[in-house]
Amino acid sequence: MNALRHHRALTEIWGTPRGWRGTMISVNHSDIGKRFILAAFAFFAIGGVLAMLIRAQLATPDSAFVGPAIYNQLFTMHGSIMMFLFAIPMFEGLALYLLPKMLGSRDMAFPRLSAYGWWCYLFGGTILIAALVLGVAPDGGWFMYTPLSSKIYTPGINADVWLLGITFVEISAMAAAIEICVSILKLRAPGMRLDRMPPFAWYLLITAMMMIVAFPPLILGSILLELERAFDWPFFDPAHGGSPLLWQHLFWLFGHPEVYIIFLPAAGVVSTVLPVMARTQILGYGAIVAALIALAFLSFGLWVHHMFTTGIPHMALGFFSAASALVAVPTALQIFAWIGTLWNGRPELKLPMLYLLGFFLVFVLGGLTGVMLAMVPFDGQAHDSYFVVAHLHYVLVGGFIFPMMAGAYYWLPHFSGRSRVPRLGEAAFWMILVGFNLTFFLMHLTGLLGMPRRIYTYTDDMGWTWLNLLSSVGSFVMAFGFALFALDVGLQIALSRRSRRNPWGAGTLEWAMPIPAPAYNFASQPEVADRDPLSGDPLLALKLARGEGYLAQARHGWRETMAVDSSSGAIDHVVILPGNSRLPIVTAAVTGCFFLSVLMGYYWMALLPVMAVIGLGWRWAWALGSRADVGPMAIGKGQTALVHREAAGGPAWWGSIFLLVADSVLLASLLFGYAFLWVVAPNWPPPQTIDGGLGVAIMTALSGSAAVFLARRSEASGRQGSLGMAGQTAIGAACAHGASAIGLLVIGITALPPPSNHAYAAVAWVLLAYGILHALVALLCAAFVRARIGGGYISARRFREFEITRLFGDYSGMVILIILLCLFMPSIAL
Amino acid sequence: MMLLARASMGMIWWAFGFSLLYALHGLGCANGWISVSLAGGSLFRWILVGIWLVLGFGGAIVIRRAWIMPVGFERSLAVACGIAGFFGTALTGTPLMVSSTC
Amino acid sequence: MIVGGCGGPLSTLDTAGPASSDVATLWWVMLSGAAMLTLLVLTLLLLAFSPRNRPFKNGGRLWICWLGVAMPSAVLTALLGYALILGEGSIAEPVPGRVTVEATGHQWYWTFRQPGSNSVIATRGVLHIPVGQPVDVRVGSADVIHSFWVPRLGGKMDAIPGQINILRIQADRSGVFEGQCAEFCGLNHATNRFRVVAHDERDWARFQQEGGR
Ligand code: HEM
Ligand SMILES: [Cu+2]
Ligand SMILES: [Cu+2]
C-alpha cells in the first residue's frame, strides 16, 4: 500500500482535531504526555521561584524580607509543588509519551483515563497555586504533621487546600499507575517477552506497582485528617483515643516509597541513555531487574526512619535502620552495573552523558548521606536539620533532575524533530552543577552546626552566616542554569535545524518511527525478537511504515493495537481503544466541583457532583462495547486474533484488578490504623464500644454473600445465552448489594457511638462507610449488566461485563465480611 | 503477572517476616510481655529470635525452590530475589540480638 | 574537639557530653568511609573514559557480584552493627535515684519541672542540670509536636502530645548550652529556643535549695 495514503488514513483515525476543541477532547498519549511534561516544568519553575525566595530570605541573618507567616507558606508550597506537581507528573508525562513507543504499541491501555488524569492534575494544581496567590496556601510543611495541621492550630483553610488539592492530584497519579501497569503488561508488540522489554519499561512497571501500593495510605490519611478537621472525628487527637503518630505512619508509609517512585523512572532513563552513549548494551539486565524487585519491596520497610526521634523502642528502630541500610545494596548494584557498562563500551562525552556524569557525582553523595541518616544515633542529631535538606536535595536533584535532563536532551529530537543548538546545553550544565553543589554541599555543614530546617531567620552568633550566604549565591547560579536550559530547549524547538531519524543510533523501538512522532506511532506494529530490535534491523522503521508488520490496515475508524500474553509476549487479542472524547475533561471538572465544595465547607452540596460523577462514569463505561460480534479478524502476516471484547483478560479486567489492589491497600491501611490505635494510642479502651447489632450484622453478611452467589448465577446464564434469566438474576444481585449497604448503615446508627465520641467510633464509622461505598459500587455494576443486556451489548461471545461485575461484587462481599469481623470480634473477645 | 509473583517470592517472604516481627514487637511491648524473663533475656525476646530463625529457614526453602526451577529468566530472578530476601531477613533481624526490646 | 569552623552554640561537632561525642565520632568515621567510596566510584567512572584498552571487559561478576553486592553489604553490615551498639549505649534505661526533669514544649516556649530540695522547681526557657551525671529528660508537649534538642549534649527527642518520651543527656563540663526546638511547630518555630545550664556540685546544691532564684 502507498505509505502516504496509509499515513493519512491512520492520522484520520488517531489524530486530534485542530484548535481548542482538539485540546479539550484529545486522548492521544503523545498529546497528554507532552502536556504533563510542559505543565510539570511550569510547576518546577514556580517551585523554583519559591526556592529563590527562601534563599533570598536566608542569605543574611535577621533578614526582614519575609516574615514567618509567609516563609512557612513558601517552604511548604516549595516542597509540595516539587514532590506532587513536578516530580511525579514529570515522569508520568515521560512514561505516557514514551512507553507505547518503546513497547511497539500505539497508545496506552486507557486513553480516556490518561486524559482524565491530566485534567485532574491541571485543576488540582491550579487550586494549589490559586491558594498561593491568594495568600492562603498550606503552611504546615510538606508532611503536614498533626496536630499542627488540625483544626485548633490551623483554623483557616490552608491545611484543607493541601489535603484536598493533593488528593485531587493523586487521582491522576493513581490513574497513571494503573494505566502504566496494564499497558506494560498487555499492550506490547508481539514477541516482546518480559525479558525482552527495554529496561525503561521494567523501571516503570515496578514504579507503577509501587505507586499502586504507596499512594492509598496517603489518600486514606488525607481523608481521615479532612474528616477530623471538618467533623471532629478524633483520629489524631490523643485526648479522644487518637494518635498524632498515626498520621506520621500513614504519611511516611507513602512518603518513603515516594522517593523511590521518583528515583526509579529517572534511573530507567539512565539505564536507557547510558548504554547508547557508550555504544553498547546494558550490563547485567537480569541483575538490574532483580535489584528493582528487591528495591520495590525494601522501600516499604523503611518508613520509620523518618520517625527515629518519636520515642519508638530501639528494637523497632533497629529493624527499620537495618532495612534502610539494606536498600542501599540494590542501588549500589545499579551504580556499578552502569559503570561496568561504560567500561564495556566506548563512552562519548555527548551532552546527555555529561548530565549522567553529574548524576553519578550528585546521586552517589546523596546516597551516602542517606546511609548515614539511616543510623539511628546519627539521625538523632541530623534529623530536621539542614543536613537533611542537603541530603534530600542531593538525592532528588541528583537522582531525578540530572537524569531527566540527560533524558530531555536525548529525547528532544524525538519530540521536536530537530537537533540541538550547540554549546548552550553545556553552559547550562556547568552552571547547574556548580551552583547546585555550592548551594547544597555547604548545607551539610550548616546542618551539623545545628541549623534546623524550616526556620525563617537566624542570628549572626550561630556561625551560619557565611555558609548561608554562599548557599544563596549558589542557588542563584543554579537558577540561571535552569533558565538557560529552558532557553536552550525553546530555541531547539523553535529554530534549530531538522534532525535525522534515530540521531543517537539507539536500538529501542521509539526510534523506529518518523520524528516528530505521528499520532499512531507505528503504521504497523513490529514483531520483536530481541532487546534492541532496531540494532538488529536498521531498516525496521521503513518496513513498518510500508505496513509489513501487524495491524497495517486502517479499518472502520478503529484504533487498533495488539495485546499480548503478559509474560511470553505471544499474541493474545486486538484491543480497540476508545477515541477522542469530552468525557475526561467534563468528569474532571465535576470531580473538581466536589473538591471545591468540600474546600468551601458546603458538605451537602458536595453530594451533587458525586451523583454527577456516577452518571458520567456510567456513560464512560457505556461508550465502550458493541452490539455485533466480530469474530476472529485478520491482523496481518496471515494471522487472526479476537477483538478484546470477545477475549478473556482484556485491559478492563486487568485495570479492575489493579484498581482493587489499590483499594485493598487502602482498606489494609485503615485496618492498620485501627490496630495501631488500639495497641498504641492513649485513652484506650474506648468508653463505649459497639453495642448490639449482631443480628443485623449476620443478615448483612448473608445478603453480601447472596449477592456474590447471584452474580455467579447471572454470569453462568449469560454465558449460556439465556439473557433474560441473566438480567433478572443481576437485578437480584443488585438488590442484595443494596440490602447489605442498608444493613451496614443500620449497624452504625443503632449499635455504634457517634464518631466524634472517640477514635474507636470514628474508625468504625469509616470502616462502615467503606463497606457501604463498595456495596453501592457493586450494586451499580450489577445494574449496569442488566442495562447492557437490555441494550443488546451482551452475547454468547461478548460477556466481559459479567467478569468485571463479578470482580467488584466479590470484592464487596469479601470486604463486608472483613469489616463485620473487625467490628464485632474485639467486643466478643473482650 | 504470575511470573513476577513467583519470581519475587524471596522478597515477599522477607516482607511477610518483617511485618510479622514488627507487629509482634509492637503488640508485645504494648502488653508488657517483656516482664517474663528467661535464660538471660526476656521470654519475649527469645520468642522473637525463634521466629526469626524460622523465617530464615523459610527463606532457605524459598531459595531451594527457586534453584530447582527450569533454567531461564524466571529462575535467575527467583534465585536472586530468594538470596536477597534471605539476606534481608538475616540483616533486618539483627536488632533482635543487639537492641533493648521496649 | 573544635576543628576549624566546627564551633558554634548549636554545633553537633563541638561536643560537651558523651552522647554527642559518640555521635560525632560516628560522623567522622562515616565521613571518611563515604569519602573513600566516593573516590572509588569517581575513579572507576573516569577510567571508563580513558582510551586505553581496559581490563574487566564483560566483567559482570566483578561489577555486579563483588562491587555491586558484596562490597556494600559488608560495609553496611559493619556500619549497622557499630551504630546499633552505639545507639544501645545511649538508651535511657530506668535507674533509681537518677536526676529526672520534665520538659514541656509549648507554642512557642519550653517549660521545665524538677524536684528541688524543698519543693518542685518550675522554670521557663532554662533547664538546670548537674555536671557529670546523666539526666533523664521526660519530654512532653502542651499543644503541637515540638522536639527537644541540645546539639552539644546529644540527639533530639520529639515532644508529642499524649505521650512522654525519655531522653538521656549529660554535660561533661559546666556552662550554658543552647537548645532549639527542632520540629516545625508553627509560626515562631524559629525562635522557640531554650538553654541548658550545667552546674558544678556547689552550684547544683544551691540551685536545688533556691530553685534558681
Ligand atoms: C531549584 C533548586 C532548589 C533550591 C534552591 C531548593 C531549596 C530548598 C530549601 C532552602 C529548602 C529548605 C527550606 C526550609 O527548611 O526552610 C527546601 C526544602 C525542600 N525542597 Fe527544595 N530546593 C530546590 C529544588 C528542589 C527540588 C527539585 C525538589 C524535589 C524534587 C525539592 C524538594 C524539597 C522538599 C521536599 C523540601 C522540604 C520542604 C519542607 O520542609 O516542607 N527542592 N528546598
Ligand atoms: Cu525515607
Ligand atoms: Cu518548633
Side-chain angles (χ1 to χ4, degrees), chain A residues 360-379:
Chain A
F360 275 106
L361 172 71
V362 175
F363 183 71
V364 166
L365 288 174
L368 289 168
T369 52
V371 170
M372 298 178 185
L373 288 169
M375 300 300 125
V376 180
F378 180 69
D379 185 68

Side-chain angles (χ1 to χ4, degrees), chain C residues 146 181 183-185 189:
Chain C
H146 305 267
C181 173
E183 182 62 61
F184 180 63
C185 54
H189 164 60

Side-chain angles (χ1 to χ4, degrees), chain A residues 252 255-257 259-260 302-303 305-306:
Chain A
W252 292 116
H256 190 86
V259 300
Y260 282 90
L302 314 181
W303 81 89
H305 68 206
H306 298 272

Side-chain angles (χ1 to χ4, degrees), chain C residues 106 108 110 145-147 180-186 188-190 192:
Chain C
H106 303 256
W108 290 274
W110 287 82
I145 301 180
H146 305 267
S147 190
Q180 159 80 43
C181 173
E183 182 62 61
F184 180 63
C185 54
N188 288 325
H189 164 60
N192 194 359

